Amino acid sequence: MRYVKLPSENFEGFFESLKSQGTLYAPVKKGHTYSFQPVESVSEVETHYTRTMLPPKKFFVRPREELLRLKGGKWEEVSSGGPFVLFGVHSCDIHGLKILDKAYLDEPADPYYKARRENALIIGISCIPDEYCFCKSLGTDFVMNGFDLFLHELPDGWLVRVGSVRGHEIAWENEELFEEVTEEDLANFRAFEEKRANSFKRKLNKEGLADMLDLAYNSPVWKKYADVCLACGNCNMVCPTCRCYEVCDKWLNAYEGVRERRYDSCFMESHGLVAGGHNFRPTRMERFRHRYYCKSYFDPSAGFNCVGCGRCDEFCPAKIEHVKVLDEVRGSLR
């Protein structure tokens, strides 16, 4: 991996250069939270944000999108869009995209997701965890691939890790903006990463978690929290790795219609409803428990389906904490 330094005074020039790569999106302050939005100026960007409400997943699997449109008796495919840049993506969200890749790029690959992944330029950025983050426990607090460039904050600029051929090309095309990394820069990088590692307040005990979940299937803790849960599906909507969706046809008139894909939630009663009226997860408790098994069950070939971003905790109206639930489930086995 190549390392270069982007001095503070060249940051704006680097940001402006990214506009030639496609539509530029970056984290922007929106009320009490943040959102990836199209930006024109570096002054709009929040480089020290915590997390966006909706993860970068929304650019690859959209919350609601038209797949086909019926016109004149013929189905026409809707364009998946052109090149774009995601600037300021955190490590946990890059890991989230890698988990989605395993679902959407496995054969047969989802053509919409595949086209958007190929059109995307990913620029990562370092962060300091808040009270909701537990990505360190899952090993997603640092990422070695899945990005084109990754920016780590230094006192006088950014240490830039180059992670792809496209990233190398951008660095070469803008070589006047970059400098060689010095020993002092590396020392500052190590100091920042050490400070960051010591900033985590929340920790998930993942040791033997798969076995623990097997043994705790009938734990009373599931019902305790299911009674508090509103079954609103917020945790699914903001999760960077949830990938359930439904496809439906909507008729605009007798001759025109659209085929639409939209996010679905395993917390919705309709999610488990199948032909004949049978529901394989009829109760809220079963749906609540299922989500934890989906996120926390360890697959040796894929790891966990949780990246520890903390969105489900921050945006849960019932204030249910993911780590606390699992700790209580583990405690119920004693």
Side-chain angles (χ1 to χ4, degrees):
M1 187 174 290
R2 184 187 177 198
Y3 300 86
V4 292
K5 180 181 179 180
L6 177 65
S8 297
E9 61 269 21
N10 293 343
F11 181 74
E12 185 171 358
F14 168 70
F15 183 84
E16 290 295 320
S17 73
L18 294 175
K19 293 180 181 178
S20 64
Q21 303 293 326
T23 306
L24 183 53
Y25 297 90
V28 173
K29 181 77 170 176
K30 288 284 186 178
H32 298 294
T33 186
Y34 302 91
S35 174
F36 279 99
Q37 297 291 324
V39 292
E40 287 297 328
S41 168
V42 72
S43 62
E44 301 174 64
V45 181
E46 293 283 350
T47 57
H48 295 102
Y49 77 106
T50 49
R51 66 185 57 77
T52 55
M53 179 179 286
L54 288 183
K57 178 183 75 173
K58 72 177 184 178
F59 293 97
F60 304 96
V61 186
R62 294 170 182 165
R64 183 187 295 266
E65 64 175 322
E66 291 183 7
L67 303 179
L68 301 171
R69 181 172 284 270
L70 180 64
K71 285 185 178 180
K74 293 184 178 179
W75 286 100
E76 299 175 357
E77 190 169 329
V78 178
S79 171
S80 58
F84 63 98
V85 180
L86 289 183
F87 178 88
V89 184
H90 287 166
S91 171
C92 58
D93 281 335
I94 294 175
H95 277 281
L97 290 176
K98 290 166 67 176
I99 290 172
L100 293 182
D101 287 348
K102 293 172 184 174
Y104 285 103
L105 297 182
D106 194 15
E107 292 298 330
D110 182 291
Y112 306 96
Y113 183 89
K114 185 173 184 290
R116 290 164 187 157
R117 280 297 261 150
E118 292 170 350
N119 277 331
L121 180 73
I122 306 293
I123 310 294
I125 201 166
S126 59
C127 59
I128 294 293
D130 66 4
E131 69 272 22
Y132 297 108
C133 298
F134 58 98
C135 55
K136 183 182 177 183
S137 299
L138 294 166
T140 56
D141 56 320
F142 198 87
V143 65
M144 292 300 295
N145 52 40
F147 58 86
D148 298 288
L149 298 168
F150 201 106
L151 279 60
H152 295 269
E153 189 172 4
L154 299 174
D156 58 347
W158 306 84
L159 183 141
V160 182
R161 289 190 293 139
V162 183
S164 72
V165 172
R166 197 170 173 194
H168 278 287
E169 291 172 347
I170 293 171
W172 288 326
E173 290 167 3
N174 298 279
E175 60 181 345
E176 72 281 359
L177 300 176
F178 298 99
E179 298 176 355
E180 292 299 316
V181 176
T182 66
E183 287 298 322
E184 183 182 4
D185 295 328
L186 292 176
N188 286 327
F189 168 64
R190 287 192 294 268
F192 179 87
E193 287 302 315
E194 184 175 349
K195 172 188 173 184
R196 182 170 176 269
N198 293 331
S199 298
F200 284 91
K201 301 178 179 68
R202 190 166 295 192
K203 180 181 179 180
L204 172 67
N205 181 5
K206 68 177 189 294
E207 297 304 320
L209 189 55
D211 289 331
M212 184 271 286
L213 288 172
D214 276 342
L215 294 168
Y217 191 77
N218 294 314
S219 169
V221 175
W222 301 123
K223 185 177 187 308
K224 169 188 170 181
Y225 280 100
D227 289 343
V228 177
C229 175
L230 302 178
C232 63
N234 259 21
C235 52
N236 294 125
M237 297 301 105
V238 301
C239 179
T241 65
C242 275
R243 47 196 179 270
C244 288
Y245 62 82
E246 65 173 352
V247 177
C248 58
D249 292 340
K250 296 171 62 177
W251 292 95
L252 306 178
N253 55 51
Y255 306 100
E256 294 183 309
V258 295
R259 177 161 294 168
E260 182 181 85
R261 173 162 70 178
R262 61 194 181 199
Y263 289 177
D264 199 1
S265 166
C266 58
F267 267 111
M268 301 295 103
E269 187 175 357
S270 60
H271 187 269
L273 191 63
V274 295
H278 175 67
N279 195 318
F280 52 84
R281 281 190 215 104
T283 68
R284 182 184 302 182
M285 191 276 288
E286 289 172 299
R287 295 191 291 274
F288 182 88
R289 178 178 58 196
H290 166 75
R291 182 177 182 277
Y292 280 82
Y293 277 71
C294 177
K295 294 298 160 191
S296 305
Y297 203 93
F298 183 76
D299 178 352
S301 65
F304 293 96
N305 279 324
C306 174
V307 295
C309 68
R311 285 184 176 90
C312 55
D313 288 6
E314 182 175 1
F315 300 112
C316 174
K319 301 302 178 185
I320 295 173
E321 299 176 17
H322 190 91
V323 171
K324 186 177 180 181
V325 172
L326 290 173
D327 283 346
E328 288 193 28
V329 170
R330 185 185 291 274
S332 71
L333 294 174
R334 294 171 184 167

